[in-house]
Amino acid sequence: MSSILTNTSAMVALQTMKSINSNLSQVQSEISTGKSVSTARDNAAVWAISKVMESDVKGFKGISDSLSLGSSTISVARQAAETVTDLLTEIKGKIVAAQEDNVDRTKIQTDISALRDQIGSVVGAAQFNGLNLVDGSQTTVDVLSSLDRSASGVSASKITVTAQDLSVGGYAANDVFSASTGGTISGAGDTFVLSLDAAGGTDDITIADGTTAWAAGDKITMRVGDKTASYTVTASDITSGANTVPDLIAVGMKNAIDALGISGLTVDYDSGSPGQLAFTNDGTTDLAVSGQFKNAGSGGLGALSSIDVSTASGADSALTAIEGMIQTSIDAAAEFGSTQKRIDIQADFVGKLSDSLKAGIGTMVDANMEEASARLQALQVQQQLGVQALSIANQSPQSILSLFR
């Protein structure tokens, strides 16, 4: 039956044209963007997976930068440790020469003093971006090394770098700190740790008063969570009187800790309690507070300052002392070398992992350009044929006119 009201052939041709044009638009989008899945509308599941992986790739870029920074920092420390080892070996040669009676020990001692001062210069200059791993100011430093994704979420992995003390100044055995529950420093290198529970944990730290012989250059360091604050005693602090130095340090430490901007942490200083800092943790994360005292006159190589070969007995004892210090510097260099090697391996792995993730993303969302080109040609032909088919279908009702002639 023919009808002038319903043109079934035209409707079929029109639907076919719409389908062809839709496919043609999709292929043109693939060619222009280079992606077969460029929006969530194209394929929601694949698009979601690709975006998660793209965020991981961006994260690994930051990790790669962190590893590069860590490797450079450790490289500086390793070079310093190796240089100190060479200088200590040279000092050992001077000490061995001083074992002979027929030598000028005074001049040898002058050479040793010059080499000792050079070691101090090397250790003091061995910093990268303000971080020194060989002067005793640090204990451990974390280097961000990986992002670990699992069913429970994403976590960050870190490589812990153990700092070394190769300074002629170091941590002194003084009763510098006391705490309500955290204990007291009583030996070289000892630290106390306060545990501040989240949502209201409190404790206090008291810096000792006149029991300690303060000197300019002494340094108080406190580590709160993963951040570090410090205060160095100045000459003007000393002239204010021994009993007021702890107060000045307490105020300086409060200001330094406040500057860290740790969420929820409040540090109060009460002049009625000399040298005391009261900590309150109103944040959502438990915090650990640790402290150390660095005396300007002793350190990891503190025995170097007491070496004196101007006498035969001094030369004998110096030979034993220098062996221990050389071993200390060798161990430090070896520790840094091992850690730097690990970081470099991790950096190489992160680079390869990022490339693999990018390749995986490309496999999911990138367009097959050869296939897209072939489909484009075919769809263009289909479009032309569809136009002709629609034109023929539109003309078919005109044949009805012949029935009325």
Side-chain angles (χ1 to χ4, degrees), residues 341-356:
K341 182 66 174 178
R342 181 185 173 188
I343 288 178
D344 290 343
I345 292 173
Q346 182 67 11
D348 182 60
F349 167 72
V350 167
K352 293 178 179 178
L353 180 59
S354 296
D355 291 342
S356 297

Side-chain angles (χ1 to χ4, degrees), residues 269-345:
Y269 169 72
D270 181 3
S271 59
S273 301
Q276 186 180 88
L277 293 175
F279 290 77
T280 302
N281 179 18
D282 289 325
T284 58
T285 305
D286 295 344
L287 290 175
V289 182
S290 61
Q292 283 188 315
F293 166 69
K294 177 180 179 181
N295 185 289
S298 61
L301 300 181
L304 194 60
S305 60
S306 63
I307 285 182
D308 185 358
V309 298
S310 58
T311 64
S313 60
D316 289 339
S317 60
L319 190 59
T320 301
I322 196 65
E323 284 296 329
M325 286 184 281
I326 289 176
Q327 191 59 51
T328 297
S329 64
I330 290 174
D331 291 344
E335 176 70 22
F336 288 134
S338 176
T339 306
Q340 186 182 8
K341 182 66 174 178
R342 181 185 173 188
I343 288 178
D344 290 343
I345 292 173

Side-chain angles (χ1 to χ4, degrees), residues 87-381:
L87 291 172
L88 288 173
T89 301
E90 191 168 346
I91 290 176
K92 179 181 178 180
K94 302 290 184 182
I95 293 174
V96 171
Q99 305 302 309
E100 172 65 41
D101 289 334
N102 190 24
V103 293
D104 190 339
R105 291 196 176 99
T106 301
K107 288 186 172 58
I108 293 176
Q109 181 61 36
T110 300
D111 289 342
I112 291 175
S113 297
L115 291 170
R116 180 182 61 221
D117 292 342
Q118 182 58 35
I119 289 175
S121 297
V122 169
V123 171
Q127 57 83 28
F128 189 88
N129 194 32
L131 182 61
N132 194 315
L133 297 178
V134 294
D135 67 350
S137 62
Q138 305 291 326
T139 52
T140 59
V141 176
D142 291 332
V143 177
L144 184 62
S145 62
S146 179
L147 278 178
D148 303 328
R149 181 177 294 279
S150 65
S152 59
V154 180
S155 60
S157 296
K158 299 177 181 179
I159 294 176
T160 300
V161 181
T162 303
Q164 306 293 321
D165 186 2
L166 298 180
S167 65
V168 180
Y171 295 100
N174 291 299
D175 291 332
V176 178
F177 297 104
S178 64
S180 295
T181 59
T184 302
I185 284 191
S186 60
D190 288 348
T191 63
F192 69 84
V193 177
L194 303 182
S195 297
L196 301 177
D197 295 335
T202 62
D203 211 329
D204 60 71
I205 298 171
T206 301
I207 300 169
D209 49 20
T211 59
T212 301
W214 297 100
D218 291 350
K219 186 176 182 180
I220 300 294
T221 300
M222 290 188 185
R223 187 174 179 87
V224 184
D226 59 353
K227 297 182 179 181
T228 302
S230 63
Y231 182 81
T232 301
V233 178
T234 65
S236 61
D237 292 338
I238 300 302
T239 58
S240 67
N243 291 329
T244 63
V245 175
D247 294 326
L248 296 173
I249 294 174
V251 173
M253 286 304 308
K254 169 181 164 50
N255 294 334
I257 295 172
D258 288 344
L260 298 178
I262 299 174
S263 178
L265 179 67
T266 302
V267 182
D268 292 322
Y269 169 72
D270 181 3
S271 59
S273 301
Q276 186 180 88
L277 293 175
F279 290 77
T280 302
N281 179 18
D282 289 325
T284 58
T285 305
D286 295 344
L287 290 175
V289 182
S290 61
Q292 283 188 315
F293 166 69
K294 177 180 179 181
N295 185 289
S298 61
L301 300 181
L304 194 60
S305 60
S306 63
I307 285 182
D308 185 358
V309 298
S310 58
T311 64
S313 60
D316 289 339
S317 60
L319 190 59
T320 301
I322 196 65
E323 284 296 329
M325 286 184 281
I326 289 176
Q327 191 59 51
T328 297
S329 64
I330 290 174
D331 291 344
E335 176 70 22
F336 288 134
S338 176
T339 306
Q340 186 182 8
K341 182 66 174 178
R342 181 185 173 188
I343 288 178
D344 290 343
I345 292 173
Q346 182 67 11
D348 182 60
F349 167 72
V350 167
K352 293 178 179 178
L353 180 59
S354 296
D355 291 342
S356 297
L357 289 175
K358 291 176 183 177
I361 295 171
T363 301
M364 289 190 298
V365 302
D366 288 355
N368 185 328
M369 299 306 289
E370 293 85 354
E371 179 184 345
S373 175
R375 288 174 59 199
L376 178 64
Q377 296 291 332
L379 288 168
Q380 286 174 339
V381 173

